Amino acid sequence: MCSVGDDVDEEKAKFMQKKITLNFTNALCIKCRTLKPQVILHNQYPYCKACFLSGTVHKFKALLGKNRVVQPNESVLIHHKAGHASTALLHFLRTGLDLNTPKKIRFKPIIAYIEDNYELNVEDRTHISRQVSDEAERLNFPIVFINLAQYVTNKSNLPSIVHEKVEDLRIDPDDNMKIRAAVKSNSTLTTQTEIVHYFERELLLKVAKHLGCQCIFTTDLGIDIASQLLKNVTLGRGENIVYDTGVVDSRDMDVSVLRPLRNFTIKELALYNYFNHLEPVSFYRKTKNPYSSMQNLVEKFLADLHVNYPATISTIVRTGDKLGVNNEPSEDRCMLCKVPIRKEIESLGSAEATNFSHWISTQTRSCDKSLKERTSQILATFDNNKYNKYCYSCNQIAPYLCQ
């Protein structure tokens, strides 16, 4: 059990840095040291407007420059999810493309908007899709629209559901039922969320290949990365951490996934949009029940912890950057999440041990044989290779996925 707040003595408590309130009445910008600050980041760093904007743009370009995944003149798919992050990302790219300096962005962005707001009515979903289309038009970016429900029910004919005009996007009131039909009714919300996430990732990769894109840009922020890391640990996806939370996800041989906003907070991007007079596409999202799924519970835990300890997100993200997979490269990959499946080794890992424990608990005892004979028979008949079709976590959700 966690003992924080119960019987922690003062000597140990001093290492837990809580959020403090500072007085910036007579402060100056921490960078230029001349102007009064208009922005306070992390509750301790004051910036004027000009220094904040230049620092924000530099942070974005520094990540792209450090991770040269995209080559000049290549096409990049931008996953638009509506909100401050998507709007800021598009503005970063537009200003970079319009430069006349050697720092100019030289790849070709294409926006992909996946319509999946099934908790809203048809009119609201249509309005949001049109707002996304207007934003892409203002920034002069090509865009395609895809309904996730149509993909789930019609995977074999991808070109027919990828639309270049928002007017061609088909939105039905029963789209949510189409998604649920792909998952067995006895599955939990945790399993359903994982399967929908799998559908979305698979669709993005297929659309990127269909449009000839070599890379995908997502809008994952630092809090999304930290949340995903804890979710992976909780759901038994430890080997996926390097792919799901790293700067670059290279598990697909043809298309890489880059997370250019992973070092940003939502406050930074909201202020960036405000200072640049940008109005993001936004809508009211229903409050999630934090106890309805493992994913929601992790998000609540992280958000509550971040309120009093602002360094929580950055600490988790930096910790995730230090993690990696030490196994030898394997050509065998999970049929769902596509991560390499570890090769058979002499000692069992936690996943193999769990599989063995589950298997042996279902075996019928042979009372006419001795304990030694029964043990030898069990060890001889256990076949761990039958679990190698999926990774450990996907083994748990695959039975609930309707084929």
Side-chain angles (χ1 to χ4, degrees):
M1 295 291 292
C2 178
S3 61
V4 175
D6 295 333
D7 55 353
V8 181
D9 57 35
E10 295 182 359
E11 183 65 23
K12 294 180 180 179
K14 70 179 182 180
F15 296 105
M16 303 176 61
Q17 299 181 2
K18 296 189 65 173
K19 182 174 68 174
I20 57 177
T21 302
L22 302 177
N23 185 6
F24 293 100
T25 304
N26 299 319
L28 296 176
C29 173
I30 194 174
K31 188 174 182 181
C32 66
R33 300 290 184 180
T34 56
L35 300 177
K36 290 187 176 181
Q38 293 179 270
V39 175
I40 307 296
L41 297 181
H42 307 297
N43 201 44
Q44 56 182 328
Y45 302 121
Y47 289 92
C48 65
K49 176 181 176 180
C51 292
F52 167 74
L53 290 176
S54 63
T56 304
V57 174
H58 173 75
K59 185 191 293 189
F60 173 76
K61 291 185 176 180
L63 188 141
L64 293 183
K66 186 177 180 181
N67 302 273
R68 296 185 179 275
V69 179
V70 187
Q71 301 301 320
N73 300 321
E74 286 187 348
S75 297
V76 176
L77 191 70
I78 312 299
H79 184 199
H80 196 303
K81 298 185 70 173
H84 283 287
S86 295
T87 300
L89 176 58
L90 295 181
H91 193 263
F92 283 144
L93 296 175
R94 174 44 59 196
T95 54
L97 288 168
D98 292 341
L99 290 176
N100 292 319
T101 66
K103 295 183 179 180
K104 177 180 179 179
I105 292 177
R106 303 187 183 278
F107 50 80
K108 304 173 183 177
I110 303 175
I111 302 175
Y113 176 67
I114 299 178
E115 207 291 314
D116 59 354
N117 302 312
Y118 306 126
E119 71 276 10
L120 305 178
N121 56 47
V122 174
E123 290 75 15
D124 291 339
R125 292 166 61 188
T126 303
H127 178 66
I128 294 169
S129 301
R130 292 185 182 277
Q131 284 185 305
V132 173
S133 178
D134 293 340
E135 183 175 68
E137 185 177 354
R138 286 196 303 269
L139 296 173
N140 195 24
F141 283 127
I143 185 172
V144 295
F145 300 88
I146 314 101
N147 188 327
L148 182 61
Q150 290 184 4
Y151 168 73
V152 172
T153 57
N154 190 18
K155 293 184 179 181
S156 59
N157 192 10
L158 182 65
S160 66
I161 62 174
V162 178
H163 309 288
E164 296 182 358
K165 296 181 180 180
V166 66
E167 293 79 11
D168 298 331
L169 180 64
R170 180 181 175 183
I171 299 178
D172 297 326
D174 61 342
D175 283 338
N176 195 22
M177 299 302 297
K178 295 177 182 178
I179 295 290
R180 292 184 178 182
V183 186
K184 294 183 179 180
S185 58
N186 62 339
S187 61
T188 63
L189 183 58
T190 299
T191 300
Q192 295 173 16
T193 304
E194 284 291 285
I195 292 177
V196 171
H197 178 72
Y198 153 71
F199 285 143
E200 184 180 86
R201 181 183 179 278
E202 184 184 52
L203 174 57
L204 273 177
L205 291 173
K206 288 187 176 181
V207 171
K209 295 174 183 178
H210 172 69
L211 298 176
C213 299
Q214 291 76 31
C215 186
I216 299 173
F217 281 11
T218 67
T219 56
D220 295 328
L221 304 178
I223 190 170
D224 301 316
I225 301 298
S227 177
Q228 188 62 47
L229 189 150
L230 296 184
K231 291 176 187 176
N232 281 13
V233 173
T234 305
L235 298 174
R237 293 188 181 274
E239 292 187 349
N240 296 42
I241 289 178
V242 66
Y243 303 104
D244 289 339
T245 65
V247 179
V248 181
D249 180 354
S250 57
R251 76 184 86 172
D252 189 272
M253 300 300 179
D254 301 317
V255 180
S256 299
V257 178
L258 183 67
R259 303 177 178 94
L261 302 181
R262 70 192 306 271
N263 295 329
F264 288 91
T265 64
I266 187 62
K267 178 182 178 180
E268 289 177 279
L269 297 184
L271 289 171
Y272 177 86
N273 291 334
Y274 173 76
F275 288 138
N276 284 287
H277 308 289
L278 303 173
E279 295 184 5
V281 180
S282 59
F283 58 94
Y284 176 76
R285 298 179 185 273
K286 291 184 178 179
T287 304
K288 299 178 181 178
N289 180 2
Y291 305 104
S292 61
S293 71
M294 190 65 68
Q295 294 90 343
N296 293 348
L297 186 60
V298 169
E299 291 175 2
K300 179 183 184 300
F301 166 77
L302 195 58
D304 292 347
L305 190 62
H306 185 64
V307 171
N308 291 324
Y309 302 96
T312 298
I313 302 301
S314 59
T315 301
I316 296 177
V317 172
R318 288 197 303 268
T319 302
D321 292 340
K322 299 175 183 178
L323 301 178
V325 180
N326 296 324
N327 299 331
E328 297 180 2
S330 174
E331 296 181 357
D332 299 328
R333 292 178 176 268
C334 174
M335 294 188 65
L336 287 183
C337 65
K338 305 302 180 184
V339 298
I341 298 177
R342 54 182 286 152
K343 293 182 178 180
E344 186 176 352
I345 56 179
E346 293 182 0
S347 59
L348 294 181
S350 58
E352 291 83 357
T354 303
N355 292 335
F356 178 77
S357 178
H358 177 268
W359 178 83
I360 198 173
S361 63
T362 60
Q363 302 303 302
T364 304
R365 293 182 58 183
S366 301
C367 299
D368 57 336
K369 296 182 180 180
S370 65
L371 176 61
K372 184 176 181 180
E373 290 175 334
R374 292 200 303 268
T375 303
S376 300
Q377 182 183 9
I378 289 175
L379 294 177
T381 55
F382 174 66
D383 181 18
N384 190 55
N385 292 328
K386 71 176 183 178
Y387 298 99
N388 288 343
K389 188 176 180 180
Y390 304 102
C391 65
Y392 170 75
S393 186
C394 290
N395 258 320
Q396 313 307 311
I397 67 174
Y400 298 99
L401 181 61
C402 297
Q403 302 299 328

